[in-house]
Amino acid sequence: MSTLVLTAHGSRDPRSGANARAVADRLGILRPDLDVRLAFLELNEPSFADVLAGLPDPRRAVVAPLLLAGAYHARIDIPEQIARAGAHGIRQADVLGEDDGLVSVLRERLAEIGVSPLDEDLGVIVVAIGSSSAAANARTARVAAKLASGAEWAGATTAFATRREQSVARAAGCLRRQGARRLVIAPWFLAPGLLTDGVSKFSSDNGIPMAAPLGAHRLVAEAVLDRYERALAEQQAA
């Protein structure tokens, strides 16, 4: 049996860990032939290092990051921990990125709070975590354009919760200058947590409706499986 190591960031907020466990449960239902093992890079248990140490055969395992952006944890932290663990032969799948299925989940979350794609007065702010990597942020910024495809909104733009120069407030002002009379926040987050609580406070303070995070939606689990399968295919082609 192959092993899928579902690797989440970890958080002091219990809602984040609960969501990661729910995604792992979905994976187990979708693919009962897989040995799905949940691991956290920090702050939660089981730790990534402990899960790697417990693998029966790293060569039959794929690390599948439960991460939206190809930032520090995907590019540096995970490879370094794999090297320290001596998990030779293990494969690392790509992050979830601006996956079309996840964008459709975001549309679903907006629909849940009454957003119509035909609302010409609406401006949509896609809020993500943000990274010190310009390349990672540029990739995340594609989500807003994908989300707005086919919609008649006044505009859609990206804001980053950890980047002052691309804050939610700046994005709101930009959309209003473009003619948006109403705004809505679409969080590009997998789970609620401390950062989304900060965005939610801005939302409440400024009277801007905010959708729910992506959560443990079936399409999130399917995106993880897609990255897992791609990693296996690349290994076989090498």
Side-chain angles (χ1 to χ4, degrees):
M1 178 180 286
S2 297
T3 301
L4 188 159
V5 182
L6 182 68
T7 307
H9 181 282
S11 170
R12 292 184 177 85
D13 192 310
R15 295 171 296 175
S16 179
N19 186 75
R21 292 182 182 90
V23 174
D25 289 343
R26 274 199 179 272
L27 288 169
I29 292 170
L30 290 171
R31 287 289 302 273
D33 59 310
L34 282 180
D35 173 19
V36 178
R37 302 191 182 196
L38 177 62
F40 295 94
L41 294 170
E42 57 186 37
L43 300 173
N44 298 114
E45 298 293 335
S47 72
F48 185 53
D50 287 346
V51 171
L52 291 179
L55 292 175
D57 184 356
R59 294 168 300 178
R60 294 181 56 80
V62 172
V63 172
L66 187 60
L67 302 170
L68 291 173
Y72 168 78
H73 290 289
R75 293 183 296 106
I76 299 172
D77 190 16
I78 290 176
E80 285 186 350
Q81 291 203 43
I82 289 173
R84 285 198 299 270
H88 304 295
I90 197 168
R91 294 176 291 279
Q92 180 180 337
D94 195 7
V95 295
L96 302 180
E98 65 283 9
D99 183 87
D100 288 343
L102 300 190
V103 174
S104 72
V105 176
L106 195 56
R107 288 196 190 98
E108 187 177 315
R109 296 294 181 241
L110 287 173
E112 289 169 355
I113 60 170
V115 171
S116 167
L118 305 179
D119 189 343
E120 297 178 352
D121 294 325
L122 186 68
V124 179
I125 307 171
V126 176
V127 184
I129 294 175
S131 168
S132 59
S133 167
N137 289 340
R139 183 174 173 182
T140 299
R142 299 174 192 167
V143 173
K146 285 191 171 191
L147 184 67
S149 178
E152 298 178 12
W153 300 327
T157 192
T158 306
F160 296 105
T162 61
R163 310 297 296 177
R164 288 185 179 181
E165 71 277 12
Q166 293 175 280
S167 67
V168 183
R170 284 178 179 267
C174 179
L175 286 172
R176 288 191 175 106
R177 288 191 295 273
Q178 290 177 14
R181 297 181 180 179
R182 293 183 305 280
L183 300 174
V184 68
I185 292 174
W188 188 244
F189 286 78
L190 288 166
L194 301 179
L195 282 176
T196 57
D197 284 351
V199 178
S200 181
K201 185 178 186 306
F202 177 90
S203 164
S204 177
D205 290 348
N206 291 274
I208 302 174
M210 177 173 164
L214 302 177
H217 195 284
R218 175 182 55 83
L219 291 177
V220 173
E222 289 186 359
V224 172
L225 287 174
D226 175 76
R227 304 303 182 273
Y228 164 81
E229 295 290 354
R230 290 187 191 186
L232 286 182
E234 288 172 3
Q235 176 69 13
Q236 292 168 359

